[in-house]
Amino acid sequence: MKILIIEDEPGLQRSIAQYLMAEGNLCSVALNYAQALERLDMYEYDCVLLDLTLPDGEGLQILNYLKRVNRAEGVIIISARNSIDQKIEGLSLGADDYLIKPFHLSELNARILAVVRRKSAQGDRHIEFNEIRIDLDAKEVLVNGKVVYMTKKEFDLLLYFVSNKGKVISKSAAVEHIWGDDSDMADSFDFIYTHIKNIRKKLIDGGSKDYFQSVYGVGYKFISS
Amino acid sequence: MKLFTRYNRILMIISLFGLLLIGFLFYQMLAYYLDQQIDHDLVEEIMEVKEYSEKGNFYQPHEFEDLIVQYKKIAKAYPSSSYADTVFYNPVKHRTESARYLKTELELNEQPYQILVIASKFERQEQIRNICLIILIPVMLLFALVLMVNRILLKKIWTPFEQLLKNITAFNINHDQPYEPVDMPVEEFRQLNSVLVELSGKVKSDYNEIKLFTENASHEMMTPLAVINSKLDNMLQSNVLGKEDGETLVELYKATSRLTKLNQSLLLLVKIDNNLLQDNEQISLKLLIEEKAVYFQELISERHITLDMVLAEITTSASRQLLEILINNLFSNVIRHNYDGGKIEISLDAEKIVFANTGHNPALDPDKIFDRFYKDHASEGTGLGLAILKQICNRQQYLLDYFYRQDLHTFTIVFNH
């Protein structure tokens, strides 16, 4: 996938690029409004990550531009502005998602995949991983063609891990993915363990191999091999 | 007591006493003057008596003169005279009247006599009474008039002041409209008004500055936090991490997560203060609480907490975002401060929502728990959860209350108080 990262904070921009490139994506970066327009003029991307506050312009203008020239890129706004109005404005101008800083890179990755999948979806949308098939429309998980029943949270969590396969997902990222703003109330993130255990058991019972791997108490990894 | 009631009361008491005193003195003076006059007349009568006696007669006054002269033979006459008040029977009018007499001893026709001249004071007293009334009635009228004018005048003068009071009461630091200045005819009030205008402006601008500062500072912290978080995420991916590195990472994640939460909570408070959250809509509270209970079910069952809910079908008009935060915070609070195997009781009826939970702590200080950054040392929260709760209740005009009863920390939100 080709991804354009429009972000003026070099530290963050490098981290994002590093994470996404390790996934096998192609990343371009733009540090400001002018650079962003230049890049967008020359190339086409699968997904654009857009910071709203740029040193020489307003990120929303880039959205306007993309809409005006009818571009097909999926756009995810990444911003520290977290008011509802900002979100509504961004989304109604044509952004596909809105992620509030700070975020976990695994979360960003999952959202990028979701946006791109939605944009390029023809017919049924699903993800295949060896013997596991995740049906995004029916919200169903099939192992060897047989439905494995999962709760909504388990489904979301599995999708999250599959989207970031091969990556270590920290417990805090997993908890925040599921509980969002309210994740702070858990004094320890250990209860995510119960969820992973349940998903694991259901998949294995359904005939799948065990793909989950625990990493030094920091988190889990959905290994691809 | 209102200022002008108080002022009127004092004025009336002083005026009344003054009037009584002046009246008394006035009466005494008049009475003294009257006595002097009568005494003078009595002396004249004695002269007449003498004049008559030189002609060998005893002087007798005419019947219409309200005057009586009595003669009494005595052994020897010592020249002396004494005046005094007395009461006598007036034979002309056939009644007892107060009077003045002059007693003196004289030689009449070479015989010593004690002579008593009594003059009635009746007519003169009538005069005094009339004079007093003539003076008193206009004074009383004047007094009443002054009181009335005073009342009207004060009321008129204080009207702008009352308006000023009303405007100060209406002044809210959180609201957009500034303090409304009042047009003041009185110099002192005008001063007060201008001081208030200045003060309210200053308070407002200071407050806004602090709010803006909080907002900007919080915002500015988000970017470095995002950098830290993303670096941590990348670090996590390196395959060379040992167990100790892992533990360090967990601690770092926790720390950034807390900072993030703190920032978000501060921003949320500023937003609630600024009324930046969306408009009211009809929300089913029962549905909302049930949704949240499902949302939090893992956290509750993980710690073997029993959840008891008694919910009535209640719909209210409120900002959805605010109400969600409210219910979220209540849930977070009862779960976070509970112990494993504890219980949570939630009830909802037309009047109120009640969230009660068991907890390690004894009763908390109800005056402090809603303060920003108040928390017990065991808590890992930001110390803003309850402050946000309070702020939302203020905004929605709900009454938020905390008490500790039967080992349960109980938070009550009353809708229409």
Side-chain angles (χ1 to χ4, degrees), chain A residues 11-12 15 80-82 84 102-105 153 167-168 179 181-182 184-185 187 191 194-195 216 218, chain B residues 219 226 229-231 233-234 236-237 241 246 253 260-261 271 294-296 298-299 302 321 328 332 336:
Chain A
L12 185 59
S15 298
R81 298 185 209 162
N82 67 347
I84 288 276
F103 45 78
H104 285 282
L105 294 176
K153 281 173 195 162
K167 298 279 185 197
V168 184
W179 279 279
D181 284 349
D182 307 299
D184 70 311
M185 44 175 302
D187 286 345
F191 60 90
T194 319
H195 277 294
Y216 333 109
V218 188
Chain B
H219 242 134
N229 225 33
S230 64
K231 296 285 174 202
D233 280 344
N234 271 325
L236 193 60
Q237 305 312 325
L241 288 179
Y253 270 124
T260 307
K261 271 289 133 193
K271 262 190 253 168
V294 173
Y295 189 74
F296 288 117
E298 286 85 359
L299 296 170
E302 179 76 19
Q321 214 188 340
N328 262 348
S332 290
R336 184 205 290 275

Side-chain angles (χ1 to χ4, degrees), chain B residues 156-168:
Chain B
K156 205 170 146 56
I157 289 173
W158 285 99
T159 309
F161 182 79
E162 261 154 33
Q163 184 62 42
L164 190 141
L165 268 185
K166 219 154 82 188
N167 288 4
I168 304 175

